[in-house]
Amino acid sequence: MRHVRSIWNGAISFGLVSIPIKLVNATESHSISFRQIHTEDGGRIRYRKFCELEEREVSSQEIGKGYEDADGSIIPITDEDLSHLPIPTAKTIEIVAFVPGDRIDPLQMDAAYYLAASGAPAAKPYTLLREALKRSNKVAIAKFALRGRERLGMLRVVGDAIAMHGLLWPDEVRAPEGVAPDTSVTVRDKELDLADALMDTLGEVELEDLHDEYREALEEVIAAKAAGETPPELPEPERGGKVLDLMAALENSVRAARESRGESAEEAEIKPMPQRKTSRAAPKESGGKKSTAKKTAAKKTASSARKSTSTKKAAAKSTTAKSTAKRAPEKKATAKKSASSRKRSA
């Protein structure tokens, strides 16, 4: 990395260990900036720094900081006042805790910096902290003061260096109230399967392969106008029918993504996704397939029960009939004996 000017000098406070460091910006902006001009003649529009009391323009050397009180009066604040603030983080990045990296909400992430060891004496404690962070698989939470305010930071290892991400304070992150749709929506399993298929088809990407196409197009326009040529224009997009059906939109998206990867039309056909091992909480549907299946199973069970009952009843009747048939001759013989004995007694 080419030499980059440090924006802050101080030390990391790691318990009783002090590590002299320099703070270096870890990111840079490549966006194209514009100047304001007078559209009639192309003249530059400039903002002049004007003193209201003396009614004259002043230079940067004459400008300082001031806090406007509730009554409108201005309280001057000098750089010396700021350098002597009664806080331990004025010139120190004070590590206060070590936590797993997944405990940090990405919404809190702010600017990123590299912490460079300042001089040979800082090499050993710097390396100690770096290796300790590596072995623990944790990040360090720290407090530091920069540009007139105390900030929260997260230290982690990047290659052989220690990087620090500025963090927003928790109360600076808004809760997502009123953001999610408040309309009741049912998402079917087939729709989720198609969304899964689209995600699998799009696959992953190497972030290094992505680039700023807007900036490149803007550079082409600037180059063309500088050469007195007609700037390139955006081609007319193909106008397709408006897709109102979510299922159709998902199917078309999967098919287009697969075809763009060189798959044949047959391969691009939508196939049912295999049942996932992990259970997913499916939305309840009134009159859906699952409900129908349960009803069908209940009917089959009831029907089987009725058949079994009727079979048992038939078997019982048959047994009773056979028993009755066997006893009939015996009853007749008994009746005859009884009749003959009555005649003899008579």
Side-chain angles (χ1 to χ4, degrees):
M1 185 174 69
R2 68 179 188 275
H3 177 71
V4 181
R5 185 175 63 87
S6 63
I7 61 172
W8 186 89
N9 293 328
I12 300 175
S13 173
F14 177 32
L16 296 178
V17 178
S18 181
I19 311 171
I21 57 98
K22 296 182 290 186
L23 200 66
V24 177
N25 278 320
T27 61
E28 56 187 4
S29 174
H30 293 165
S31 61
I32 296 174
S33 58
F34 296 100
R35 302 290 189 185
Q36 289 188 328
I37 62 169
H38 188 195
T39 54
E40 291 187 5
D41 53 23
R44 282 279 306 277
I45 302 297
R46 297 181 183 273
Y47 291 97
R48 301 186 183 277
K49 297 173 181 178
F50 199 79
C51 175
E52 294 180 348
L53 295 179
E54 297 185 13
E55 295 186 350
R56 68 176 181 88
E57 188 177 349
V58 295
S59 63
S60 298
Q61 290 76 17
E62 298 177 84
I63 298 175
K65 299 181 181 69
Y67 174 80
E68 185 174 1
D69 208 350
D71 59 0
S73 61
I74 301 295
I75 303 171
I77 301 294
T78 65
D79 291 337
E80 187 177 0
D81 295 331
L82 297 175
S83 64
H84 290 87
L85 286 176
I87 57 173
T89 56
K91 277 294 181 181
T92 303
I93 298 174
E94 183 184 8
I95 295 177
V96 296
F98 292 88
V99 300
D102 57 9
R103 285 266 304 276
I104 306 301
D105 189 337
L107 285 173
Q108 286 185 257
M109 294 288 188
D110 202 357
Y113 309 93
Y114 287 128
L115 303 181
S118 183
K124 181 66 181 284
Y126 184 97
T127 305
L128 171 66
L129 176 59
R130 183 190 66 198
E131 295 305 312
L133 287 171
K134 277 185 183 179
R135 191 165 71 170
S136 68
N137 288 322
K138 293 183 177 181
V139 298
I141 302 301
K143 295 169 70 176
F144 66 104
L146 180 66
R147 293 171 184 153
R149 58 185 289 247
E150 188 175 53
R151 302 165 187 258
L152 199 60
M154 179 190 77
L155 277 63
R156 69 183 183 96
V157 178
V158 178
D160 290 331
I162 298 175
M164 181 173 69
H165 295 268
L167 299 178
L168 298 175
W169 296 98
D171 60 358
E172 292 180 315
V173 179
R174 293 177 177 174
E177 295 175 359
V179 177
D182 56 1
T183 306
S184 178
V185 177
T186 299
V187 178
R188 294 177 291 171
D189 282 342
K190 190 173 181 182
E191 292 168 336
L192 285 172
D193 289 340
L194 280 170
D196 288 342
L198 180 57
M199 292 166 65
D200 292 338
T201 304
L202 292 176
E204 299 182 0
V205 68
E206 292 293 334
L207 294 181
E208 292 77 9
D209 296 336
L210 301 178
H211 56 280
D212 188 349
E213 295 182 12
Y214 179 87
R215 178 170 59 87
E216 292 175 356
L218 189 55
E219 288 173 346
E220 290 181 15
V221 170
I222 293 171
K225 297 200 75 170
E229 302 172 357
T230 303
E233 294 183 359
L234 181 70
E236 281 289 328
E238 296 182 4
R239 294 181 178 270
K242 189 175 182 181
V243 181
L244 299 177
D245 184 10
L246 179 59
M247 288 291 291
L250 286 169
E251 289 173 352
N252 291 339
S253 299
V254 174
R255 189 173 290 108
R258 289 179 176 171
E259 289 176 351
S260 69
R261 295 174 63 175
E263 297 181 13
S264 63
E266 290 77 12
E267 292 173 326
E269 289 300 318
I270 310 301
K271 298 178 182 178
M273 292 290 291
Q275 192 67 29
R276 295 180 178 270
K277 292 182 179 180
T278 55
S279 60
R280 181 192 302 150
K284 294 183 180 179
E285 296 186 69
S286 57
K289 291 183 179 178
K290 291 186 178 179
S291 177
T292 306
K294 287 181 181 179
K295 289 180 181 178
T296 305
K299 287 181 180 178
K300 287 182 178 178
T301 304
S303 176
S304 300
R306 286 196 296 270
K307 285 181 180 178
S308 176
T309 304
S310 57
T311 302
K312 288 179 180 179
K313 287 182 178 179
K317 286 181 179 179
S318 175
T319 304
T320 305
K322 287 180 182 179
S323 178
T324 305
K326 285 182 180 180
R327 290 173 184 168
E330 295 176 359
K331 286 183 178 180
K332 286 181 179 180
T334 305
K336 285 181 179 180
K337 286 180 182 179
S338 185
S340 59
S341 61
R342 282 197 297 270
K343 283 180 181 180
R344 287 193 198 105
S345 60

